[in-house]
Amino acid sequence: MTETAPLRARAEIDLAALRANVRSLRAHAPDAAFMAVVKADAYGHGMVPCARAAVEAGATWVGTATPEEALALRAAGIGGRVMCWLWTPGGPWREGVDADLDMSVSGMWALREVVAAAREAGRTARIQLKADTGLGRNGCMPADWPELVSQARQAEAEGLVRVTGIWSHFACADEPGHPSIAAQLVLFREMIAAAEERGIRPEVRHIANSPGTLTLPETHFDLVRPGIAMYGISPVPQVGTPEDFGLRPVMTLSASLALVKHAPGGHGVSYGHQYVTPGETTLGLVPVGYGDGIPRHASGTGPVLVGGKLRKVAGRVAMDQFVVDLGGDEPAVGSEAVLFGPGDRGEPTAEDWAQAAGTIAYEIVTRIGSRVPRVHVNERPGE
Ligand SMILES: Cc1ncc(COP(=O)(O)O)c(C=O)c1O
């Protein structure tokens, strides 16, 4: 394809598409600030280049799960607001204070640790209080909220923290009409009111992920926090394609055929011989496997574009490679095999792979391993 063709495999990351997706998402929530979620190496797309591109397209906040991810963004020169939410006891609170992170607090242990770090640093820590409004994962339960809020307010009065946000996360925003959505919103409003009654004045209140941003305007509050949609994947494939939402997939995963050979009928292919050639044919070797994040569950089902035609994984996906039955065609060794991309060259999409493997497209892109180089294209705005 391009100058990158000699690589065994590559994940091309189109930053122009990412910037356009951010603009499109911002148009869905014009009155809300935008937090670009770049955790897990930007869902496999490369954290720092994606964060930069999102900021160029108007994101004023960047969000990660772990403090290490947030600190890595700062080390790479990402300014502005950076928030992280998955803390464990003994975490790098002091580094977080020094780096001006917005640090999520879900319980009293975390408040105590961040207050101690602020005291030691001699500066105010920015914290955001997370409410469990019904996800049942991280976040403070409603019964424990009054104490957390009161103690945070006390620390604020002492100049040790500033509560910059109150926030929560949905359980079922990707299932339109699910009763938990409305129930979570009611509780979120109640928990905000309870905090405000105790004197907390958050800069931002937020709960909307990608499905909320795209399909539930009543969830936008002061800030939206999309991840998957920024990478051009529909968070609600049963409702609309990326194109329906004005999005374009950002990652194209391809590999160079490592071997093309003739095989007779009745030839077993790959471990376990789960595929046996139905007649004389040609086989192509695609040099990526589950060691690169290709799901083994897509054995026999994963779609691949080779030589202008859609093929399927023949037999098992192995650690480093899998085979496709080329049906007698003889593309040259080194020809491109496209596993997924935007879909407009006839290639499959990450959503097609998700269906083939019985998972979600989030997992397909995020699990692509570090052995596959990310090739970022259209790095500069205007390209
Ligand atoms: C707390 C939080 N906010 C926002 C997101 C972004 O979600 P999505 O990728 O569905 O937009 C995630 C991702 O799971 C998350 O954990």
Side-chain angles (χ1 to χ4, degrees), residues 87-90 93 104-117 127-131 138-155 158 161 198:
W87 290 85
T88 42
W93 297 102
S104 182
V105 164
S106 285
M108 283 305 300
W109 74 263
L111 184 62
R112 279 192 290 273
E113 293 202 5
V114 75
V115 161
I127 65 169
Q128 298 218 0
L129 302 179
K130 184 168 195 189
N138 211 348
C140 180
M141 294 295 276
D144 302 324
W145 187 246
E147 195 203 349
L148 182 67
V149 163
S150 302
Q151 294 292 325
R153 179 67 200 120
Q154 175 67 36
E158 291 173 41
V161 304
R198 287 166 179 79

Side-chain angles (χ1 to χ4, degrees), residues 26 32 208 215 226 254 261 271 320 336 377:
R26 287 179 63 212
T215 65
S254 58
K261 64 185 180 187
Y271 294 130
D320 313 302
E336 187 185 40
V377 299

Side-chain angles (χ1 to χ4, degrees), residues 350-371:
E351 182 57 38
D352 294 328
W353 271 83
Q355 280 169 23
T359 183
I360 53 175
Y362 290 68
E363 189 182 358
I364 296 296
V365 288
T366 303
R367 68 186 298 164
I368 298 306
S370 56
R371 201 163 63 167

Side-chain angles (χ1 to χ4, degrees), residues 304-325:
V304 190
L305 184 71
V306 186
K309 290 187 196 163
L310 273 183
R311 330 272 177 171
K312 264 192 196 158
V313 175
R316 286 202 185 135
V317 173
M319 187 181 290
D320 313 302
Q321 43 195 299
F322 65 80
V323 173
V324 288
D325 189 331

Side-chain angles (χ1 to χ4, degrees), residues 262-308:
H262 287 267
H267 195 73
V269 173
S270 192
Y271 294 130
H273 283 179
Q274 283 189 347
Y275 183 80
V276 177
T277 53
E280 201 181 319
T281 190
T282 45
L283 300 174
L285 183 64
V286 183
V288 285
Y290 62 78
D292 301 292
I294 309 305
R296 190 169 176 275
H297 271 96
S299 295
T301 57
V304 190
L305 184 71
V306 186

